[in-house]
Amino acid sequence: MPPPARRAVAALGIVVFLAVYVWAAIFVADRLPDAAWIDALYFLVVGTAWGVPLLPLLKWAEGGRKD
């Protein structure tokens, strides 16, 4: 697959992933106990962990090149 097509597929994949991820994060957050420290900890983890699953997709989009 040519690089522009890979990037387009990856961009669409990222948008779909983030939409599902945000929906799931809110769904879980609504079911947490009502405590400010739990909300803060949860959103700290969820807000920073979203990028990890995207790393393989981004690597694929760039053709698997190593830096």
Side-chain angles (χ1 to χ4, degrees), residues 30-50:
D30 285 343
R31 283 144 182 80
L32 292 175
D34 288 334
W37 70 271
I38 292 175
D39 286 344
L41 182 62
Y42 174 73
F43 283 110
L44 179 70
V45 171
V46 169
T48 56
W50 63 269

